[in-house]
Amino acid sequence: MDEKGLPGRLPERDRPWVMRTYAGHSSAAATNALFRRNLAKGQTGLSVAFDLPTQTGYDPDHELAVGEVGRVGVPVAHLGDMRALFDGIPLARMNTSMTINAPAMWLLALYGTVATEQGWTASMLAGTTQNDIIKEYLSRGTHIFPPAASLRLTADVVAHALEAMPRWNPVNICSYHLQEAGATPVQEVGFALATAVAVLDAVRDCGQVPAERMGDVVQRLSFFVNAGVRFVEEVAKMRAFGALWDEITRDRYGVTDPKQRRFRYGVQVNSLGLTEAQPENNIQRIVLEMLGVTLSRDARARAVQLPAWNEALGLPRPWDQQWSLRMQQVLAYESDLLEYPDLFAGSHVMTALVDGLVAGARTELEKVLEMGGVVAAVETGYLKSALVASLAQRRHRMEVGSDVVVGVNRFTETEPSPLTATGAEAIEQVDPAVEADAAIAVRRWRAERDAAAVDTALARLQADAASTTNLMPATLACVRAGVTTGEWAGALRQVFGEYRAPTGLTATAAAGADPGLAAVRQRVIATARDLGAGRLRLLVGKPGLDGHSNGAEQIAVRARDAGFEVIYQGIRLTAGQIVAAAVEEDVDLVGLSVLSGSHLAAVPAVLDGLRAAGRGDLPVVVGGIIPARDAEQLRAAGVARVFTPRDFALTGVVDELVTVIREANGLT
């Protein structure tokens, strides 16, 4: 019998999902070369990683951009950079995802302008701007403006795209980072849908979209999700997402067309779940996580991007990204996955899992809506506190071994890995000259443009921002005048203000069952007594633009539970601000957290500042994704300890902090 005629097969294979790799570093020209190489290898879409200055609305020569330019993505400061980024790439034939949120309107305007220069119309463009600002307040930290102003920008982009870019997804509700920040599957679904409701309500109420077109809005709203290693649960999560989305869009917004109500999502599997220890194990993790969003035909991802095996070590090389792309291609083209209908239809196990997730997520959604919606839940700190508490519980389960992480808290015996035998060469290195070159280039750009045209465009932008006018036309005028990313965001900062989100450190302790915590608490009390202080004081600082604060928050929570008085002022601080806080608060220890790779610039700046302030005696420790070679440099510069993801036992880390304080003060 011809195997193609076997019972249960589809009459023809499903079309594969869009295959992407999340890419961008150094410069627009270098990233363009990487895009071209990946497309030549069979990648079917682009996913742009922007650097932190771009994501937070700063130019490469801004004080806060020091050490961050081109490090975790590509810097795009103006129209010239966007031209270079997509040089020779026909944008009307691409499906481009841009991970950009607070400045999403700005980057979309740059992208559309380049497409027009290539000879295409905006209506031909397909792709996505992430444009979900809510999760930035909760997990990723690249927000700029307050929630209400940010939602206004999102609604303006949606209204513009509805008319001018009908194939574009103007917003991508992002539950990905909620999971990384600690969300359970129930919280991930409930909180993400609360965000979607906030966006749709903002669009409905902005007066720019007729009620009869809400179905068109829903149809272009997509989601970006996380897939963890518990892939059976992830399948159920995606089916629950789809069921609730169908219900909400039908009942709350009156969308009658089932095709418009379809849950459309792309996925990147869990990057923060990858381990520095035995990194070769990340390959099987990535494959299992990919299965969670591809096995179920009725809830299959529309686009997939996979991290590389070495992302816990640093920036992946092109070869590493190729490996991840080939994983997708083997599944889609070699396996028989796309030949069958939904594999879980009629499964009692899956139905029960989905029903439980739907019920729990609906409860979470209703709780947020009763509070006044997701903006109120952000501003009161409810959502952030819930995530910090959930992550603390997850960390505790890993520390006590009830959650097994192979190679980290179990099965730690290992042979030397040939994949990492070359040390720092196992990851992509960003040339330090990139930042200086970008700063020079943006100054040259400013000097060569028409200054009067820039002033006129920025004045119009601010005037429109002070009214209810859609800001996309003024933003497009800024693009054409040569305005920079920092100038666009700076003009809106003057109108909307800047927002510092709640830190969530009111979360309850999760380490109460840790038998070691009581002993550490006694050491904290004894050390404070030896120093003649009431309590030991720890400053937790996040220098630069790195907004991934999960690790810093968990250290802060555990240190507080151990008896420290913790001073944590949130993310995005200059070295000067951290030094000033350390001196003013008279702390006993400064702990710096840097996950963006900018540690060799950010940490010495703090050390130099402490010496200049007369507090060179104050011990400093650092945590983050820090290669061994860099850790040696930091210790040589005066850092007392360097902690990496291998140091997962937080109570042990806090105990070591006490030791550092005792050593710095000559206590035995």
Side-chain angles (χ1 to χ4, degrees), residues 279-280 309 313 317 415-427 629:
E280 61 274 10
W309 68 277
L313 307 176
R317 301 158 299 184
E415 300 294 331
S417 170
L419 292 175
T420 57
T422 53
E425 294 175 4
I427 58 174
R629 184 181 303 177

Side-chain angles (χ1 to χ4, degrees), residues 500-543:
R500 294 196 70 80
T503 64
L505 294 193
T506 56
T508 56
D514 186 345
L517 190 61
V520 175
R521 192 177 291 118
Q522 289 304 312
R523 288 195 75 206
V524 170
I525 294 170
T527 302
R529 183 175 59 247
D530 292 343
L531 293 175
R535 296 175 68 186
L536 294 186
R537 295 166 66 80
L538 167 66
L539 174 67
V540 176
K542 290 285 297 177

